[in-house]
Amino acid sequence: MDQEQTPPVTMTTPVRFLPGVGAFRAEKYAKLGLRTAQNVLFFFPRDYERPAPPRSVDKLREGEQASLIGTITDAELASRSPGKSVFGAIVENETGAVRILFFNQPYRADQIKFGQRVVISGVPKLTGLRMEFVHPQITMLDEQDDYPEPKILAIYALTEGVKQNDLRHLVGNVLEILGDEIHEVMPERLRSESADVLRAAGVEIEGPLYDIQTAVQQLHQPDNEASLQAARLRLVFQELFVMQLALAMRRRKLTSDLQSPPLSPSSVIDSRILNRFPFELTNDQRQAIKDVSQDMACQFPMNRMLQGDVGSGKTVVAVYAMMLAVANGHQAVMMAPTEVLARQHYQTLCKILADSRVRIGLLCGSISRAERSETIQAIASGEIDLLVGTQALLYGDIQFSKLGLCVIDEQHKFGVGQRVTLRSGGVDPHYLVMSATPIPRSMAMTLFGDVELSTLREKPPGRATVNTYLAHDGWKDRWWSFVRERLNEGRQAFVVAPRVVPTTKSAAEDSDDDESEDVSSVQTVFEDLRKGVLSEFQIGLLHGRMTADEKMATMQEFAAGEIDVLVSTTVIEVGIDVPNATVMTILGAERFGLAQLHQLRGRVSRGSHVGHVCVFSDGDQPPSENERLSLFEKTNDGFELAEADFELRGPGDLLGRKQSGMAPLRIADPRRDIEILRVARTMAQTMIEEDPELDAPDCHDLKSQVMRRYGKRLNLGDVA
């Protein structure tokens, strides 16, 4: 009877059936996402080990990576105990001699012989009077061999039970079997054209982009530095190009498939709206209003993001857009991430439109069932022109009579799916999303590559400066004395305690919901201050576990000056506008991101009085030694901080589904690859303009990859 043959290895072969793996190791590899042979091929290195050029013995430095060419002049295998051994040898050249050691590798005795020429590479250590290399990388040379170029070794992400050599061996095996079978999706003419455009943009590249087989091979096992960079360039460009094609297709979908009501701003409407604002607009606000007005006059949906630093006046632009919709006989809705902020927007609209016929509604989680039902009916009948709400807008059967505009405040607080729910219902309203967290340029072309962008950099006139201080525990007495002085002058203060997520709450359950926080930290700070250094002042407490009515009551008391000091979690991060509050103390500052710290600081720059922010950190490290906190102290510019924060944190999963609908990047880094990204974006937009459906015969495979990676996401969000 014929013995059963082992099936050939293909891209879909499970890792357990690859040569030398088996079920036990396959479980380890699965933790790294390696389940098939194709997963292994596209498991890209996270870094590389680059052996140093050869040195003479006298130039070796303990702890510094080094290479050495020499001859084996002595070698010995010794057994210390059963199953344990040490192989030692002397490598000598005209500049001196070093020792090499291998523990529990007895086979080295058959490999490394007296008189053998070798190249060793590793990190030397001084033992006695001689340098010693433990487990160096070793290359055998023939007598006539010249010194080979140091071999660049891939460094992969690891998990428990998996070693670097295990992964290198696995990848090498799969490359040998399947390396020539990797499917090419970029036709040769596109690889050549891309290389020309990249060169014109200043990117170093010789010849056309690598074909995919060469690129993957050289990324894992580069012949030299030049081939490694060429391989990375090919794969980075393809990843960004496929993403930009998806974004360009989605953008075209907005302008061709969807229809929205044109909401034109006549000179009369424009004057009537602007006269509602009791202050002079900044140039940036006027330009943003012009951008929005032009978009809303079109018959396809506006898809614009309005980003601006803290206190730059984004709400004014949003109010203009909402009033423009109403002036054209349509409804507008604004969604905010918290009830505190939603109610504040509602009050702002009520104040601006106090003597008008515009009807304004509020829909939040805390309103009664009867109020909600009444409001929903008024929305459906068209009795309500402007609606403000929280995520309560997303639930229940809300039907608008004639929806023309959706405004989403603090867009990063909402997932794509939530925003799509808001825009569904048989209509295609215009969309304006706002962000007080400035977005780095590279991220704007990825996260928001299909969105028009307006930016507010100017601050409205009359806003005072804010001084920021990094403090250590020795400052506390002086700082609290300073706080008391400001309070005695009639000013008010914030004290921010770090938000702590309960340890019993799983990561999957955690969210931006304020109710998920552990309030023990803020309550402790509140009690300590109430009974201690600020006992003579009226102190209030605000956190996410409070009811909506309790939060609103506390904020109203603070705004009215009935509370001197508000002790809070980051629930005050956005939308709190109390011009008389000019002092802020941030505790446990190392737990906050740069953007969040800047948002918090924005609460004390709302009026004409100079603001003061002092940050304290927990633990042994003083704030001055924390790079993020030092940056926070040095600049008040949110755009500079956004770029710096992105440099420090990296893209991570910023391109994940929650915020953008885009899949995470595997190899590209928008920070490092900004020029490649620009080229990919320009070429993708041009290609979609010329061939909207990618119907060219040689683009069939490219289109398939776009749809596999982003097809389901194309309909997820027309808004960022």
Side-chain angles (χ1 to χ4, degrees), residues 81 89 114 117 183 191 241 268 274 284 304 307 323-324 372 412 430 440 442 444 497 533 542 546 598 616 625 701:
S81 60
F114 181 85
R117 286 187 72 228
H183 189 63
R191 299 201 304 272
F241 185 58
V268 173
L274 291 179
D284 282 354
R304 182 168 291 276
Q307 67 164 352
M323 292 167 67
L324 176 59
R372 178 180 174 85
H412 64 285
H430 296 283
S442 54
V533 292
L542 188 68
M546 296 166 65
H598 188 58
F616 293 89
E625 294 181 14
D701 292 334

Side-chain angles (χ1 to χ4, degrees), residues 127-433:
T127 304
L129 299 176
R130 177 173 285 170
M131 285 291 187
E132 190 173 82
F133 289 75
V134 178
H135 289 235
Q137 179 185 333
I138 188 163
T139 303
M140 308 300 173
L141 299 176
D142 292 333
E143 281 297 326
Q144 66 273 20
D145 282 347
D146 292 329
Y147 175 69
E149 185 169 351
K151 188 175 181 181
I152 301 173
L153 295 177
I155 298 175
Y156 299 95
L158 299 177
T159 189
E160 186 177 356
V162 177
K163 299 178 180 178
Q164 278 299 338
N165 283 338
D166 296 336
L167 274 172
R168 289 170 183 163
H169 186 68
L170 175 65
V171 172
N173 281 344
V174 178
L175 278 172
E176 186 174 349
I177 299 169
L178 297 175
D180 293 336
E181 298 182 26
I182 303 173
H183 189 63
E184 178 65 81
V185 301
M186 290 184 64
E188 185 176 355
R189 59 108 180 160
L190 182 56
R191 299 201 304 272
S192 179
E193 178 187 348
S194 302
D196 291 341
V197 180
L198 286 165
R199 267 190 292 273
V203 178
E204 292 187 16
I205 178 175
E206 294 184 8
L209 290 174
Y210 274 177
D211 61 73
I212 190 64
Q213 295 90 354
T214 302
V216 173
Q217 175 76 43
Q218 290 298 314
L219 194 77
H220 287 294
Q221 298 177 340
D223 293 334
N224 49 51
E225 190 67 37
S227 66
L228 169 58
Q229 295 308 321
R232 185 181 183 277
L233 175 59
R234 156 60 206 259
L235 292 164
V236 166
F237 179 80
Q238 178 175 324
E239 183 168 48
L240 294 175
F241 185 58
V242 167
M243 171 186 280
Q244 293 301 318
L245 283 172
L247 290 169
M249 291 171 74
R250 184 163 68 177
R251 186 169 184 170
R252 182 181 175 278
K253 180 180 177 67
L254 281 174
T255 60
S256 61
D257 296 354
L258 303 180
Q259 296 294 315
S260 293
L263 308 176
S264 301
S266 67
S267 58
V268 173
I269 291 175
D270 180 68
S271 296
R272 283 169 51 196
I273 296 174
L274 291 179
N275 287 337
R276 288 278 171 184
F277 300 122
F279 44 77
E280 187 71 20
L281 272 61
T282 66
N283 291 329
D284 282 354
Q285 286 173 322
R286 292 184 180 280
Q287 181 59 52
I289 285 173
K290 181 179 178 181
D291 295 339
V292 168
S293 299
Q294 290 174 344
D295 286 355
M296 291 178 65
C298 297
Q299 290 185 327
F300 53 84
M302 172 176 69
N303 194 30
R304 182 168 291 276
M305 167 173 280
L306 177 64
Q307 67 164 352
D309 208 346
V310 175
S312 58
K314 295 178 294 299
T315 303
V316 170
V317 179
V319 170
Y320 182 98
M322 296 175 75
M323 292 167 67
L324 176 59
V326 174
N328 279 271
H330 284 73
Q331 295 167 302
V333 59
M334 175 184 278
M335 187 165 75
T338 67
E339 183 158 338
V340 170
L341 184 53
R343 287 183 178 274
Q344 185 164 298
H345 283 317
Y346 174 74
Q347 291 167 357
T348 298
L349 286 168
C350 288
K351 183 177 180 180
I352 292 175
L353 300 169
D355 57 349
S356 75
R357 291 176 295 175
V358 178
R359 296 149 300 184
I360 307 168
L362 178 67
L363 200 59
C364 299
S366 67
I367 67 174
S368 68
R369 183 173 298 181
E371 288 176 308
R372 178 180 174 85
S373 177
E374 183 180 338
T375 301
I376 290 175
Q377 289 178 13
I379 294 167
S381 66
E383 295 175 42
I384 288 180
D385 301 304
L386 299 180
L387 178 66
V388 182
T390 60
Q391 295 186 36
L393 291 168
L394 303 174
Y395 308 109
D397 187 21
I398 300 177
Q399 293 293 329
F400 288 88
S401 172
K402 207 173 182 181
L403 182 61
L405 171 69
C406 293
V407 178
I408 297 179
D409 196 8
E410 296 302 322
Q411 60 79 31
H412 64 285
K413 298 287 186 180
F414 299 99
V416 172
Q418 292 174 314
R419 287 174 267 177
V420 174
T421 300
L422 186 59
R423 73 165 302 278
S424 63
V427 295
D428 298 316
H430 296 283
Y431 250 96
L432 177 66
V433 294

